[in-house]
Amino acid sequence: MNEALLRSLTPSVLAVLVRRGADFAAAEDAVQDALVEAVRVWPADPPRDAKGWLVTVAWRKFLDATRSDAARRRREDRVDEEPAPGPAPAVDDTLQLYFLCAHPSLTPSSAVALTLRAVGGLTTRQIAQAYLVPEATMAQRISRAKRTVSDVRFDQPGDVATVLRVLYLVFNEGYSGDVDLAAEAIRLTRQLAAAIDHPEVAGLLALMLLHHARRAARTAADGSLVPLAEQNRGRWDTALIAEGVGILQAALALDRLGEFQAQAAIAALHADAPTTEETDWVQIVEWYDELAHLTDSPVVRLNRAVAVGEADGARAGLAALAGLDSALPRHTAVAAYLHERDGDLATAARLYADAAREAPNLAERDHLTRQAARINARGCR
């Protein structure tokens, strides 16, 4: 069973049902039922047209559910609209579905959460981690969003800013999390950039390309994480870097700075440096100042503390860190790094071990555990 194929087809099938009049929650349930049926049937009898099969089965599941609900009997008139057998049109509906999920009846945060769950394929836990909220809180937010849109027509697409936020979070989860969605996020952002002339769309695309260019160097052969300072820069994709920098420069020339352009500028400075020591950390701190002004994000200020530590010394970095909430994700890991840079190995080793216990994924946990062991070994010599 090709799970990747099923995941890639889900948004298009969901979009077909929504266009045919299914409310979002019912359409999502029907598609999930069709996926379960595919897992059961396809190993023994794979279809020649996977998308067409899923559309047909999902529509039947939706109609079956509709008939069983007396309050929705009016939908039975659509029985004759069942898709005809044969190949389904080769149309990519995913980006359209992102806009439809960013419905004006939803707050931006609820629209993002709903889209990440229904279209992006992320779990409630992954979305909660991205938003720095408890999983139960995010589950309630997604449930409310589903209820809000359950009786509305999806004929009013949402705004670009909300869609960009979703694509950004999908890319981040694909880049550093458990589900590989980075390439899909780049593909959709390319489509969006080709469709509209918007500096923040360009900024997001540049940011994705610059980060993706370093992906091959981010992990060792055994799957362990390789920090930026230790990466083999010869493995970075120079073509992606050149493309990302070119897109960013064109966006910045419009003089309409946004957070994605600022993040891309920071990524470009990292990509431009032959070594960590030659990185222009002073300019990176300046871009973090711009980014903090634009977003007022505690995560941005956490990253800024690292940059300050590189530009002005570990003590300055620790001073910048002191004003931030210690409960922030990766706060402990940053504190460990800065204490190591400051020569306080005992504190660094303890904090690396604490950070490992807080790590959101196995790869990061293993990396931080190794850092703690390395520092302890240094202290024993």
Side-chain angles (χ1 to χ4, degrees):
M1 171 57 59
N2 191 333
E3 295 182 6
L5 174 62
L6 287 177
R7 188 163 57 244
S8 68
L9 290 174
T10 297
S12 292
V13 176
L14 184 57
V16 169
L17 266 64
V18 169
R19 285 204 304 269
R20 289 181 175 276
D23 68 71
F24 190 89
E28 186 183 15
D29 289 341
V31 172
Q32 292 302 316
D33 288 343
L35 294 177
V36 171
E37 188 72 5
V39 171
R40 185 181 69 83
V41 172
W42 286 11
D45 185 21
R48 283 180 293 183
D49 175 25
K51 179 181 174 182
W53 189 97
L54 286 171
V55 168
T56 299
V57 173
W59 185 250
R60 286 174 178 162
K61 296 287 186 183
F62 164 70
L63 292 176
D64 288 344
T66 298
R67 293 189 189 100
S68 67
D69 187 345
R72 298 178 181 177
R73 290 190 181 279
R74 64 185 181 277
R75 300 186 188 271
E76 291 182 350
D77 294 336
R78 299 192 177 104
V79 172
D80 293 335
E81 297 178 16
E82 181 178 332
V91 177
D92 185 353
D93 300 296
T94 309
L95 190 57
Q96 179 191 16
L97 195 58
Y98 271 66
F99 273 95
L100 293 176
C101 286
H103 196 273
S105 63
L106 295 172
T107 63
S109 61
S110 294
V112 170
L114 177 62
T115 314
L116 289 172
R117 183 70 186 92
V119 188
L122 274 64
T123 65
T124 303
R125 176 184 59 81
Q126 290 168 324
I127 302 168
Q129 288 175 344
Y131 269 92
L132 309 180
V133 299
E135 184 174 348
T137 300
M138 184 53 64
Q140 293 175 352
R141 184 179 299 177
I142 293 172
S143 295
R144 285 196 300 270
K146 288 182 177 180
R147 288 196 299 270
T148 299
V149 301
S150 62
D151 294 320
V152 301
R153 294 287 298 179
F154 279 74
D155 54 2
Q156 292 179 277
D159 66 343
V160 173
T162 301
V163 173
L164 289 179
R165 177 63 49 191
V166 175
L167 290 169
Y168 173 69
L169 291 174
V170 169
F171 177 82
N172 280 346
E173 191 60 44
Y175 189 69
S176 61
D178 303 322
V179 183
D180 188 359
L181 296 168
E184 174 69 358
I186 290 174
R187 184 182 69 83
L188 293 173
T189 307
R190 283 191 187 279
Q191 286 187 8
L192 188 57
I196 62 175
D197 185 13
H198 191 297
E200 274 295 81
V201 175
L204 179 58
L205 179 57
L207 175 64
M208 289 179 175
L209 295 174
L210 289 164
H211 277 306
H212 209 60
R214 303 201 304 259
R215 189 168 192 180
R218 291 184 70 248
T219 54
D222 61 359
S224 60
L225 292 179
V226 180
L228 177 62
E230 300 171 18
Q231 287 176 16
N232 178 359
R233 300 186 179 216
R235 299 187 65 195
W236 290 1
D237 189 326
T238 55
L240 281 185
I241 291 173
E243 182 185 4
V245 169
I247 292 171
L248 172 63
Q249 288 174 339
L252 291 175
L254 298 175
D255 198 23
R256 290 162 54 194
L257 184 64
E259 62 172 296
F260 295 124
Q261 295 169 71
Q263 287 193 56
I266 293 168
L269 286 168
H270 282 300
D272 185 56
T275 65
T276 301
E277 293 73 23
E278 296 174 87
T279 303
D280 190 345
W281 289 107
V282 172
Q283 193 172 354
I284 287 177
V285 171
E286 292 174 355
W287 275 112
Y288 271 121
D289 288 338
E290 291 279 2
L291 191 55
H293 175 72
L294 289 166
T295 66
D296 195 29
S297 165
V299 175
V300 169
R301 297 187 186 281
L302 181 67
N303 291 330
R304 178 186 178 277
V306 176
V308 169
E310 298 290 350
D312 300 325
R315 294 286 174 90
L318 287 168
L321 187 66
L324 299 176
D325 185 353
S326 61
L328 274 173
R330 298 184 173 86
H331 182 284
T332 309
V334 169
Y337 174 75
L338 291 172
H339 277 288
E340 180 186 357
R341 288 284 310 278
D342 194 40
D344 186 352
L345 299 187
T347 301
R350 175 177 56 79
L351 290 173
Y352 274 129
D354 291 344
R357 287 189 288 271
E358 302 167 359
N361 57 64
L362 183 59
E364 193 166 334
R365 186 183 313 149
D366 288 346
H367 169 70
L368 292 167
T369 301
R370 292 179 186 184
Q371 295 294 87
R374 176 180 58 80
I375 298 297
N376 282 323
R378 284 178 60 189
C380 293
R381 288 201 296 267

